[in-house]
RNA sequence: GGGGUGUUAGCUCAGCUGGUUCAGAGCACCUGCCUUACAAGCAGGGGGUCACUGGUUCGAAUCCAGUACGCCCCA
């Protein structure tokens, strides 16, 4: 035989991927005769490289899309990339720095030129990597969130929302990243648990005639912000501070006088019960300040250094300033003590810098109105989240949704289409021309020129383009009634990570209802995070993330795909272990060898058909498993679906069916058996194909001559068929018999090659007759006959109430055998007692359903028969 | 602090409407096999008080309450 004993994925994968591409199997066009099935890819960052998370996510999407394609649906998987403004800009800035260029020395246009060059050169590698995985995306439809049409959609949406009053400009407390020098959305801020210090500072109470100065002690974690203090707040019910109501205090070092205000917001027990109010640098203080109509003093520059308003430590970084002021306070005797306490530090997801709550002028998008339909759609299961446990999280987020800060102080992205007039007012427009027209109209100044207008410097948050993705990839903004969007939208399934449920998924749902009055997708499958075997997140610094392409190289794409899916139920983190991928590869090999076996048989047409029972059984078994597989798919239990296929292939098809029909060495096989077997293998390949596309396509073609477009990838998915439950159950018993015989061999050290005899004492001989050949073959038997009486001097066992005897030619260990039987007898007796107890319970008999009672009766009868049989065997020993 | 969610074999997890799918799977482990499809394999096997406590029920891994521990989200 010339076929390799090991499956070799390398050339196979390339060959079939190219072949699929050439024949256009991935490409989709609207087809009114077919049901559409659509997935839009969560666009990876254009700067990204494939990591394990992508592997899992895209394998699942590919499984779904391939199955749909085989089901005869018009399957369309739209790929693309995201411009990822912060991440990409950071990479370009770093690249320029290496060349000795500072971003601040460049104009916006110069910088963008570099950025585009960089994107053209390094961007989109990830899409090429996805091809190695076997992703059957419609590459003709590849989109990029910053390409012209998609940017135009973003601008159009911005203008539209602005005109609807949904977008506004305002001073707000934002999360400021002093390193990236941009505002961040709440979702881009990562809280980190740390130990922080609480400084207790003395504020002098403004002289009220007392000879000695008196103080109030204020606790703060940020002493460097005291120069921005505008008040000290205490709880009006706090007895300790009653004497200070209506008084003022002096800021330490600065000496500035500020009022003591009263508010029940202050927790009496926390710190000293006295709170310094610094509206410019803390969200809660800001709200307190608003309430009490206090001024705000912002003492920080964009880069986190102190400005002139601070008066002290001007120009120093906030952390340096903190060290210095603590020292000075100490020297001035105003620092009472320092306490350690556990606190949460807000950091930037991108740069890791400590976030500065800061007042700044930003653009916001109102969320509350848009959140309504988006919330309802999920709560009433119009859009289903898998697993549904995420519904609660989704609801609590949507019910407490806050306005979305959409502006970013960056250059890489869609520039905010607001144009400022010389008088400081502004207009919002989709183009320069329109802006000028509007500006002239609104200012009444027809002399205004384009040069008089200044466009906002900021760009929009990346998510402001990705929330439109399911619509914009089909040009639903440019041309709202085009045939693609009408056909493919709403899409079917979205596969993504739970950490972007709010960033992205929720906003896409909002955009769907806002701009098309329709949900963007019907199902959201939430994957878990891929972690290492110890449960740690995969990260570059830990070096615990394998390179996916190396894995593919080593184990084959099919092996990796199967390995990823073996243990990743929806919503659960995947603890990745290379063992899983190894298992996937071994599975490939198993399938390969099954194919080799079948391919190697000579057919002799003159032979009769000896395998009717085996064929009938596997046919039923396949259909039984198939119903299960379909059920798993319908509930998005992808791992379970794969495991069902795995067991069907390995246990049922290979270990059992093929062993049953396998002719003796170098003997030919009959025509009927081989035909059935090939048909079975084809069906098995079909259900396997979504998971392991390459090896299945390879075998499909090696098995038979195929016509030009007769590919597995576009073959028809099996249909659910009726199956014979009785033959499956009977075979289970038969395989138990075989297993018991093998067990006897094992425990008695009887080699496989030595034939044994078997005597069967059963109630219904005819029920066993069709299976005798199978038992003989799988257990390697010589004599095989039915008997009426128990056989002396034999090892016996019982399966489903029937007795089986293997004569042992006298070398039977009577004591051991007696002990074994005695043990089994005791167990069965105990079992009978428990069943009897149940059945004699009046309330059980009257309360339980008929089927359950019947079952208990059957258990009782079986147990009694078994006890009887064991006792006889014991007697005959 | 509020909310969510989980705890089942050494590990990762199934277990759906309470009862034959009820204590399961895969991996790991142990024993024996180089049996001409496959040692990346074959055959067999040992592992669990279903976190704890109580309740509901004829019957609880499954429903309810509390406790402990873990994780997630929000403040």
């Amino acid at each position: 035989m010339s076929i390799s004993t090991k499956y070799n994925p390398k050339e196979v994968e390339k060959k079939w991927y190219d072949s699929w591409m050439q024949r256009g199997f991935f490409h989709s066009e609207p087809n009114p005769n077919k049901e559409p099935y659509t997935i839009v890819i969560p666009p990876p960052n254009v700067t990204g490289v494939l990591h394990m998370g992508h592997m899992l996510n895209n394998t699942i999407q590919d499984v779904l899309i391939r199955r749909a394609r085989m089901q005869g649906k018009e399957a369309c998987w739209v790929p693309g990339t995201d411009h990822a403004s912060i991440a990409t800009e950071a990479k370009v800035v770093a690249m320029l720095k290496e060349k000795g260029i500072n971003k601040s020395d460049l104009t916006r246009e110069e910088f963008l030129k570099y950025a585009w060059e960089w994107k053209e050169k390094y961007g989109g590698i990830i899409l090429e990597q996805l091809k190695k995985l076997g992703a059957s995306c419609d590459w003709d439809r590849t989109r990029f969130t910053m390409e012209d049409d998609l940017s135009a959609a973003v601008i159009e949406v911005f203008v539209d929302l602005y005109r609807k009053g949904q977008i506004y400009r305002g001073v707000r407390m934002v999360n400021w990243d002093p390193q990236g020098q941009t505002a961040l959305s709440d979702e881009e801020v990562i809280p980190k648990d740390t130990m922080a210090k609480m400084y207790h500072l003395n504020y002098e109470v403004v002289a009220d005639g007392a000879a000695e100065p008196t103080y109030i002690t204020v606790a703060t974690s940020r002493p460097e912000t005291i120069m921005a203090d505008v008040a000290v707040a205490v709880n009006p019910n706090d007895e300790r501070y009653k004497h200070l109501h209506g008084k003022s205090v002096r800021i330490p070092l600065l000496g500035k006088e500020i009022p003591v205000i009263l508010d029940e917001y202050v927790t009496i027990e926390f710190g000293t019960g006295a709170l310094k109010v610094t509206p410019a640098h803390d969200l809660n203080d800001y709200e307190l300040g608003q309430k009490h109509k206090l001024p705000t003093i912002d003492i920080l520059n964009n880069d986190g250094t102190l400005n002139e308003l601070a008066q002290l430590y001007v120009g120093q970084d906030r952390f340096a300033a903190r060290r210095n002021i603590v020292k000075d306070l100490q020297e001035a005797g105003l620092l009472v003590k320092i306490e350690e306490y556990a606190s949460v530090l807000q950091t930037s997801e991108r740069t890791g810098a400590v976030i500065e709550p800061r007042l700044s002028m930003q653009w916001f998008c109102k969320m509350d109105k848009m959140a309504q339909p988006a919330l309802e759609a999920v709560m009433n299961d119009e859009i289903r989240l898998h697993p549904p446990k995420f519904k609660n999280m989704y609801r609590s987020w949507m019910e407490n949704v806050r306005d979305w800060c959409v502006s970013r102080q960056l250059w890489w992205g869609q520039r905010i289409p607001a144009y400022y007039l010389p008088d400081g007012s502004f207009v919002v427009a989709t183009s320069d021309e329109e802006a000028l027209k509007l500006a002239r109209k609104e200012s009444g100044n027809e002399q205004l020129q384009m040069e008089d207008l200044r466009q906002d410097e900021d760009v929009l948050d990346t998510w402001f383009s990705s929330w439109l993705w399911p619509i914009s990839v089909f040009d639903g903004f440019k041309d709202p009634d085009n045939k693609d969007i009408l056909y493919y939208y709403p899409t079917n399934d979205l596969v993504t990570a739970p950490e972007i449920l709010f960033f992205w998924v929720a906003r896409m749902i909002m955009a769907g209802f806002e701009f098309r009055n329709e949900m963007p997708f019907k199902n959201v499958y939430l994957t878990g995070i891929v972690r290492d075997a110890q449960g740690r997140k995969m990260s570059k610094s830990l070096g615990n993330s394998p390179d996916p392409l190396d894995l593919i190289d080593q184990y084959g794409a099919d092996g990796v795909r199967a390995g990823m899916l073996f243990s990743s139920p929806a919503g659960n983190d995947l603890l990745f272990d290379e063992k899983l991928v190894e298992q996937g590869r071994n599975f490939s090999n198993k399938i390969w060898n099954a194919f080799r076996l079948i391919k190697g048989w000579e057919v002799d047409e003159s032979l009769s058909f000896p395998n009717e029972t085996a064929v009938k059984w596997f046919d039923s078994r396949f259909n039984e498993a198939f119903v299960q597989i379909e059920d798993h798919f319908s509930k998005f239990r992808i791992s379970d679906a794969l495991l069902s296929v795995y067991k069907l292939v390995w246990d049922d098809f290979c270990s059992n069916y093929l062993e049953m029909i396998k002719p003796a060495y170098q003997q030919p096989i009959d025509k009927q058996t081989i035909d059935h077997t090939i048909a079975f293998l084809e069906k098995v390949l079909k259900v396997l194909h979504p998971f392991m596309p390459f090896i299945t396509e390879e075998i499909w073609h090696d098995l038979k001559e195929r016509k030009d477009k007769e590919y597995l990838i576009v073959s028809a998915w099996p249909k659910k068929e009726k199956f014979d439950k009785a033959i499956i159950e009977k075979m289970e018993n038969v395989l138990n018999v075989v297993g018991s015989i093998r067990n006897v061999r094992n425990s008695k050290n009887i080699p496989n090659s030595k034939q044994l005899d078997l005597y069967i004492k059963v109630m219904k001989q005819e029920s066993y007759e069709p299976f005798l050949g199978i038992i003989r073959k799988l257990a390697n038997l010589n004599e095989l006959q039915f008997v009426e009486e128990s056989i002396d001097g034999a090892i016996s066992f019982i399966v489903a109430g029937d007795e089986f005897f293997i004569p042992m030619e006298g070398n039977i260990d009577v004591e051991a055998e007696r002990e074994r039987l005695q043990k089994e007898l005791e167990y069965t007796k105990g079992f009978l007692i428990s069943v009897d107890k149940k059945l004699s319970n009046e309330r059980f008999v009257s309360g339980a359903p008929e089927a359950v009672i019947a079952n208990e009766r059957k258990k009782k009868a079986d147990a009694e028969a078994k006890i009887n049989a064991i006792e006889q065997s014991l007697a005959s020993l």
Side-chain angles (χ1 to χ4, degrees), chain A residues 36-42 57 60-61 63-65 67-68 71 73 76-78 382-384 386 469-470 488 490-496 504-505 508 520-526 633-636 638:
Chain A
Y37 176 86
T38 317
I39 297 179
V40 293
I41 203 170
N57 184 267
I60 292 168
Q61 292 175 71
V63 168
L64 295 174
I65 205 90
R67 171 167 171 266
Q71 283 175 319
K73 295 179 186 168
C76 181
W77 183 10
V78 183
E382 222 183 308
I383 296 174
R384 283 175 183 274
H386 303 276
W469 186 246
Y488 293 115
T491 69
N492 294 72
D493 303 336
L494 180 82
V495 180
T496 192
W504 190 47
V505 179
M508 278 192 288
F521 30 70
K522 299 179 190 100
N523 293 290
V524 181
Y525 180 103
L526 295 150
F633 269 121
S634 75
K635 290 166 183 152
F636 286 86
I638 311 293

Side-chain angles (χ1 to χ4, degrees), chain A residues 198-201 217-220 271-272 334-339:
Chain A
M198 187 64 89
Y199 302 88
H200 292 243
L201 313 180
T217 305
V218 172
T220 178
T272 62
L334 296 170
L335 180 64
V336 180
K337 64 170 172 179
I338 302 174
E339 269 177 353

Side-chain angles (χ1 to χ4, degrees), chain A residues 743-780:
Chain A
N743 193 3
V744 169
R745 277 187 193 280
N746 245 304
S747 57
K748 304 282 173 219
N749 272 322
I750 304 167
N752 247 334
S753 49
K754 184 173 190 291
Q755 292 199 317
L756 295 174
D757 297 337
L758 182 72
Y759 297 92
I760 313 178
K761 185 181 154 200
V762 296
M763 330 274 224
K764 281 170 35 189
Q765 283 192 15
E766 49 303 351
S767 78
Y768 269 95
E769 266 155 9
F771 298 89
L772 293 182
I774 289 169
I775 297 175
R776 182 191 299 277
K777 191 162 182 180
L778 296 192
N780 191 22

